[in-house]
Amino acid sequence: MTRQVEVLPDVAGIVNRALALILERAEAAIAQRGTFSIALSGGSTPKPLYEAIAQQPLPWDKIQVFWGDERYVPPDHPDSNEGMARRAWLDHVPIPAANIHPMDTTPADPTVAADLYEQHLQQVFQLAPGDFPSLDVVLLGIGDDGHTASLFPHTKALTVGDRLITVGNKDDQPRITFTAPLINHARCVIFLVAGANKRPALTQIFAPEGDADTYPARLIQPAGELWWLLDQAASIPVP
Ligand code: 6PG
């Protein structure tokens, strides 16, 4: 794992840098393997990045879009990560519908939804049971509490090591999420972190010693590239 921490002046700086990293990796992946896979994060920070990606003249038929986590709401709900990415990006580009892989949140039981998405990934990546796919890029954020994707502090999801997808839990609200091992199999993980409110969690996440059960983003130690793109407000002295 190569951890690269870059401090950008503001969110626009984070967006421009993340866009450059994504475009470079998309070009390389498509040249090498004919396809580029990216998992999207939710929340508010990535929205301008999705709007910027939508402006790019990309070979959309070669791009596969997944979500790293999803709130357990329908796509037309204001909290939906799928809805946000479609409004900001996917509705504005000629990407084949089959290349968009949202997490289905219609099953009454979220564990069924998690199993279905895991089976979908196994099919798309033609995986043998127990294998983990290496997505080209996984985008992540962190919450003030140090969570990432929907891996929240002191939840069972943090201990799931043999699945691709599991059920996260925020304040007793179910989420569907990539597991830490699935994220860690990515070729490139990019964290987008903006705002002074993230600084205390970031201090704990970057500390040489710490408790991943309390600060789950500490679990993200990919074998591939690990980028932390911080704005000035979120930045801390890196130990
Ligand atoms: C989600 C995200 C979550 C997000 C962080 C940061 O579904 O909410 O995947 O992990 O990345 O909560 O969110 P902001 O970018 O809004 O601060």
Side-chain angles (χ1 to χ4, degrees):
M1 175 196 76
T2 53
R3 184 178 80 178
Q4 317 256 354
V5 181
E6 289 192 9
V7 178
L8 291 311
D10 48 23
V11 171
I14 291 178
V15 167
N16 292 336
R17 186 70 178 114
L19 180 64
L21 292 173
I22 291 165
L23 294 179
E24 282 163 21
R25 281 143 192 80
E27 186 178 358
I30 290 166
Q32 289 161 22
R33 293 181 297 279
T35 182
F36 171 67
S37 55
I38 184 169
L40 306 185
S41 78
S44 53
T45 307
K47 185 166 178 286
L49 171 59
Y50 300 160
E51 290 165 344
I53 297 175
Q55 302 303 315
Q56 303 305 312
L58 288 167
W60 295 110
D61 61 322
K62 295 182 171 55
I63 294 177
Q64 301 290 338
V65 179
F66 302 85
W67 275 262
D69 75 317
E70 185 57 272
R71 291 84 179 279
Y72 215 68
V73 294
D76 60 356
H77 188 283
D79 290 350
S80 168
N81 292 338
E82 174 191 351
M84 184 272 276
R86 285 187 184 277
R87 287 190 297 276
W89 164 17
L90 299 169
D91 289 350
H92 308 285
V93 298
I95 184 170
N99 290 26
I100 301 173
H101 307 272
M103 293 175 159
D104 177 4
T105 57
T106 56
D109 179 352
T111 57
V112 169
D115 292 347
L116 287 172
Y117 202 67
E118 174 155 322
Q119 289 157 22
H120 181 68
L121 293 181
Q122 287 169 333
Q123 192 187 14
V124 168
F125 290 98
Q126 297 170 349
L127 300 173
D131 284 357
F132 286 81
S134 290
L135 275 78
D136 291 303
V137 169
V138 173
L139 297 177
L140 294 173
I142 60 166
D144 304 4
D145 60 357
H147 83 259
T148 191
S150 281
L151 301 169
F152 287 91
H154 313 303
T155 58
K156 212 162 63 62
L158 305 186
T159 62
V160 177
D162 59 350
R163 304 294 302 274
L164 306 182
I165 306 295
T166 194
V167 177
N169 189 296
K170 176 181 184 180
D171 307 334
D172 290 332
Q173 292 305 309
R175 303 271 192 101
I176 307 301
T177 184
F178 274 24
T179 59
L182 176 54
I183 296 169
N184 285 334
H185 274 77
R187 292 188 175 87
C188 177
V189 173
I190 304 174
F191 278 94
L192 313 177
V193 184
N197 59 313
K198 305 291 172 75
R199 197 177 284 171
L202 212 50
T203 305
Q204 298 298 326
I205 293 161
F206 281 5
E209 303 295 325
D211 171 17
D213 197 50
T214 307
Y215 296 98
R218 292 182 64 90
L219 294 170
I220 309 309
Q221 309 283 343
E225 296 179 87
L226 174 58
W227 291 85
W228 285 87
L229 304 182
L230 317 177
D231 72 354
Q232 200 69 47
S235 70
I236 58 167
V238 178

